[in-house]
Amino acid sequence: MKKLLIPIFSVAVLVSCGTSKVSNNISKPTAPVATVAKGDKAFLVAYKTITADDLKKNLYVIASDEMGGRDTGSPGQKKAGEYMINYYKTLGISSPKALGSYYQKVPADFMKKRGGGNLPDSENILAFIEGSEKPNEIVVVSAHYDHVGTKNGVVYNGADDDGSGTVGVMEIAKAFQSAKKAGNGPKRSILFLHVTGEEHGLFGSEYYTDNPVFPLANTVVDLNIDMIGRDDPENRGKQYVYVIGSEMLSSELKVINEAANKRTNNLELNYRYDDPNDSERLYYRSDHYNFAKNNIPVAFFFDGIHEDYHKPTDKPDKIDYSLLEKRTQLVFATAWEIANRTERIVVDKKQ
């Protein structure tokens, strides 16, 4: 996640309504929601393919010293990207046809104009599963795969930030692909979007939304995962996840996510940071914001600021893999519901 040094944006206050956003408890849904996954064998089979062991296996590669901390455009980041692409190829998950590649180049000039200094060219990585009934409607599951690199010879592995989100997206893709192979692919298309340049200024997601492979008007939601493998001091030992932004633009997304949570691992959904005016300004600090500012509903899944945040001690041996599994399963369950429900979720709020 992008480190907050100074206020990042000058933005209008976003007003949301409905359930409380400050309680640590699971808020009661404000409206009924159809649950296509409840009792659905296809969902359950796919859901169970998301495992702590597979998350751990991939994270020990993505956050290894070999990747050099995955700084934007660095050889280590490119090596991590190659690993991810080979993973998708092995699963039989293709890149978007319109792109013709898993890579979307993010030019150095684009980043430099936005304060990116002398960063080299980098790439977003996109994998895609086409929907069976509504292929032109796109559900985005995103995470940034860059981190802060190597400093004074010390590798900043970024296992939680955002290796955890990166491998979470990979596992969610595997689950959807397993359902597709069994004849139960999603009705809407799913874009698995790994963005670059987040740590330097949300550059990869901004480049994607400025140059979308699929029209933003057809983009239903962005479920963004940035740090879901640890706990923070306030929630030490709890089965929880912070959820940010889920009711900013749609009255349905938060309800859908809460229902998905209730029928799966029933984590404690913490809304402490779910406020544009919160002093930490987390709503603006990860890649979902570039979708939200284009009026696309978002939900940001996050574990909090822990003692190893942006330190070389953010290593894969400190990840809680059982909790990482549960949080990844929650995002998958939410994406499954949105991808398979009859009607597209509404956008009935404005920022």
Side-chain angles (χ1 to χ4, degrees):
M1 186 179 68
K2 187 180 187 298
K3 195 167 186 177
L4 182 64
L5 300 176
I6 57 174
I8 302 170
F9 299 106
S10 175
V11 294
V13 173
L14 309 183
V15 179
S16 62
C17 58
T19 53
S20 170
K21 298 192 292 294
V22 295
S23 172
N24 286 352
N25 297 318
I26 300 170
S27 52
K28 186 177 180 180
T30 56
V33 58
T35 55
V36 298
K38 189 172 184 179
D40 186 334
K41 183 178 179 181
F43 165 76
L44 292 173
V45 170
Y47 173 88
K48 290 178 181 178
T49 68
I50 297 171
T51 69
D53 285 346
D54 286 346
L55 288 159
K56 184 175 184 178
K57 176 183 176 181
N58 286 323
L59 187 55
Y60 264 83
V61 177
I62 294 294
S64 67
D65 286 352
E66 184 181 356
M67 305 306 175
R70 308 187 308 280
D71 198 7
T72 300
S74 68
Q77 190 202 33
K78 293 180 186 297
K79 189 176 290 186
E82 290 169 1
Y83 177 83
M84 293 151 55
I85 288 171
N86 286 332
Y87 174 88
Y88 286 122
K89 287 180 176 178
T90 299
L91 291 175
I93 300 175
S94 65
S95 60
K97 291 179 183 177
L99 187 60
S101 169
Y102 290 95
Y103 292 115
Q104 181 188 43
K105 181 179 176 180
V106 181
D109 285 348
F110 178 88
M111 294 184 279
K112 186 173 184 177
K113 289 176 182 177
R114 289 155 178 80
N118 294 316
L119 291 172
D121 291 343
S122 190
E123 302 85 23
N124 294 331
I125 292 175
L126 287 68
F128 184 69
I129 295 177
E130 186 171 76
S132 59
E133 295 183 16
K134 299 174 184 289
N136 292 328
E137 294 186 15
I138 312 298
V139 173
V140 177
V141 183
S142 65
H144 72 92
Y145 73 109
D146 64 305
H147 192 51
V148 298
T150 299
K151 302 179 181 180
N152 299 317
V154 178
V155 175
Y156 286 60
N157 301 90
D160 194 29
D161 186 12
D162 186 28
S164 61
T166 299
V167 299
V169 172
M170 293 163 68
E171 278 290 284
I172 291 167
K174 182 186 72 176
F176 273 111
Q177 182 70 349
S178 71
K180 181 179 179 179
K181 286 183 176 180
N184 300 299
K187 294 179 180 178
R188 291 177 175 84
S189 296
I190 316 289
L191 176 64
F192 305 99
L193 177 62
H194 298 274
V195 293
T196 188
E198 191 271 357
E199 297 289 4
H200 293 278
L202 314 186
F203 296 138
S205 55
E206 183 178 7
Y207 188 82
Y208 179 84
T209 54
D210 283 359
N211 304 273
V213 175
F214 303 98
L216 295 184
N218 293 353
T219 302
V220 174
V221 70
D222 174 43
L223 304 178
N224 185 50
I225 313 173
D226 192 351
M227 299 174 58
I228 58 166
R230 298 281 298 272
D231 56 12
D232 64 8
E234 181 179 329
N235 293 281
R236 192 111 299 156
K238 293 182 180 179
Q239 300 291 295
Y240 78 100
V241 66
Y242 291 106
V243 185
I244 300 168
S246 62
E247 62 177 354
M248 298 295 184
L249 291 165
S250 173
S251 61
E252 294 179 340
L253 179 53
K254 182 176 183 178
V255 177
I256 290 169
N257 184 60
E258 291 190 338
N261 181 59
K262 197 167 187 178
R263 67 172 175 267
T264 54
N265 290 307
N266 203 23
L267 298 171
E268 180 180 297
L269 302 183
N270 190 314
Y271 297 104
R272 173 185 172 182
Y273 298 115
D274 192 22
D275 183 347
N277 295 314
D278 183 82
S279 60
E280 294 288 341
R281 298 176 63 78
L282 290 171
Y283 181 64
Y284 308 102
R285 288 174 59 185
S286 191
D287 295 295
H288 59 279
Y289 181 67
N290 281 315
F291 288 88
K293 72 182 186 181
N294 284 285
N295 295 314
I296 296 167
V298 301
F300 168 30
F301 299 87
F302 175 60
D303 60 23
I305 305 295
H306 52 72
E307 56 271 21
D308 296 310
Y309 170 66
H310 277 216
K311 294 180 180 178
T313 46
D314 181 8
K315 293 182 176 290
D317 61 347
K318 293 189 175 183
I319 297 294
D320 182 338
Y321 288 96
S322 175
L323 188 52
L324 175 57
E325 174 188 285
K326 291 174 183 177
R327 290 165 171 163
T328 303
Q329 288 173 332
L330 169 59
V331 181
F332 169 70
T334 304
W336 179 282
E337 180 73 42
I338 295 168
N340 289 299
R341 69 202 308 261
T342 302
E343 299 297 330
R344 175 174 172 166
I345 63 170
V346 298
V347 181
D348 54 1
K349 300 182 181 183
K350 294 183 179 180
Q351 49 181 331

